[in-house]
Amino acid sequence: MTTIRVATLNVWGTNGPWPQRLALIRRELARLRPDVVGLQEVMREDDYCQAREIAEGLGYEIAYGPASECDGRIQGNAVLSRLPINERREFTLPLGGCEPRALLYVLVETLYGELPCFVTHLNWQQDHGAIRLAQLRYVVARVGELSGADLPPVLMGDLNADPDSDEIRYLRGLAVVDGESVYFADAWTYGGDGSAGATFDRANDYARHAREPSRRIDYIFTGGDELFRGEPLRTALAFTEPELLDGVRVWPSDHFGLVSDIVLTPRTE
């Protein structure tokens, strides 16, 4: 059985002590060695690209997709891949409002065929459940159109929704919307440790400032097929460890990330 390791992280732009946070993010990437990484809230301005700064020297190819722009600074999604990226496309999500949201698609070449990967970041406001649901239905439609490759798709990102929300229940096949239902495997449900798996956690000093409850809002979802490819075998929280610098705790981001090992090869058992 052969797996691919994927990870996702909302990097929180360049907020807070970015140089110190950068070192922690890069250290975790070097420890985990994920093959494909989905990043959200990635900044780009003039010749500067935050994804390139994160990936420097770690052996990743980079794809970047802008989502919004303010005062010349662009925020968007990125994919870092140790494997060749054969194709990439960007889509603007519906109903983004003053903070447009986007979907980044890349087609990654593996030894077992091409793997379609999607990275997105949905509206954050807690009363935007209907908007997030519309955005996810748009995402699902694009996944369906672009997933005719060899391997089942991977969808990851900051979805800003609890596991029991209508938005996430729809993805998990637990809610029917306008007569439509879909199913994607929630990597944490399949391969997590059985805990709540909070990724926006009040234990994180940066997240605590938002005065929101601890909850799981970052996800890795996979499609599957009759050969059992796409199954998440092991999933864990990542980018969770702070470092004490000059008496102050520095965290990699205000979010924790996820890392998951996903099956690529067919199985008969």
Side-chain angles (χ1 to χ4, degrees):
M1 187 189 313
T2 299
T3 61
I4 187 171
R5 175 165 289 184
V6 302
T8 184
L9 177 68
N10 181 324
V11 300
W12 197 35
T14 54
N15 294 296
W18 170 241
Q20 292 80 14
R21 294 201 303 108
L22 170 64
L24 297 183
I25 292 172
R26 285 173 49 80
R27 185 171 69 190
E28 185 77 331
L29 286 174
R31 181 183 74 86
L32 295 172
R33 293 188 56 80
D35 301 293
V36 179
V37 186
L39 302 175
Q40 306 88 52
E41 290 194 24
V42 182
M43 305 305 298
R44 194 171 68 181
E45 182 179 10
D46 298 326
D47 293 332
Y48 172 74
C49 177
Q50 191 176 21
R52 185 169 62 238
E53 188 175 28
I54 291 170
E56 184 177 0
L58 296 177
Y60 287 110
E61 186 174 338
I62 301 169
Y64 183 84
S68 62
E69 181 177 356
C70 181
D71 298 327
R73 302 191 76 205
I74 298 171
Q75 178 176 282
N77 305 302
V79 168
L80 314 182
S81 178
R82 295 186 185 276
L83 303 168
I85 295 175
N86 291 342
E87 183 181 339
R88 51 157 292 174
R89 292 181 63 181
E90 307 155 15
F91 303 89
T92 299
L93 301 188
L95 306 173
C98 62
E99 291 184 64
R101 302 292 178 167
L103 171 69
L104 175 62
Y105 154 75
V106 299
L107 190 61
V108 174
E109 182 180 327
T110 80
L111 292 176
Y112 302 94
E114 293 182 313
L115 176 71
C117 296
F118 301 83
V119 179
T120 196
H121 182 197
L122 305 185
N123 280 31
W124 63 268
Q125 292 89 333
Q126 293 192 8
D127 62 345
H128 279 202
I131 292 175
R132 284 189 291 272
L133 180 56
Q135 290 174 336
L136 273 181
R137 294 186 73 189
Y138 178 89
V139 167
V140 166
R142 303 292 81 73
V143 172
E145 292 169 359
L146 295 165
S147 293
D150 306 306
L151 297 168
V154 175
L155 169 63
M156 51 189 155
D158 175 4
L159 304 187
N160 276 311
D162 296 11
D164 59 353
S165 66
D166 287 345
E167 308 93 285
I168 304 305
R169 285 171 53 80
Y170 169 70
L171 276 185
R172 296 173 59 204
L174 300 175
V176 177
V177 180
D178 294 336
E180 176 187 89
S181 61
V182 299
Y183 179 75
F184 291 87
D186 177 357
W188 184 259
T189 301
Y190 269 71
D193 62 9
S195 71
T199 58
F200 198 71
D201 193 332
R202 290 174 70 93
N204 182 317
D205 298 322
Y206 304 147
R208 190 164 56 251
H209 291 314
R211 298 292 192 270
E212 297 177 5
S214 300
R215 62 201 197 280
R216 181 160 67 98
I217 60 175
D218 301 83
Y219 297 87
I220 297 171
F221 283 99
T222 66
D225 61 18
E226 66 279 3
L227 300 175
F228 300 104
R229 298 178 301 179
E231 181 183 353
L233 292 186
R234 176 188 174 276
T235 305
L237 293 173
F239 307 94
T240 60
E241 295 301 319
E243 186 169 280
L244 194 64
L245 297 173
D246 298 325
V248 177
R249 287 197 300 184
V250 174
W251 301 78
S253 174
D254 63 337
H255 286 238
F256 297 149
L258 290 171
V259 60
S260 186
D261 295 328
I262 298 168
V263 175
L264 290 186
T265 47
R267 288 175 296 163
T268 57
E269 297 180 356

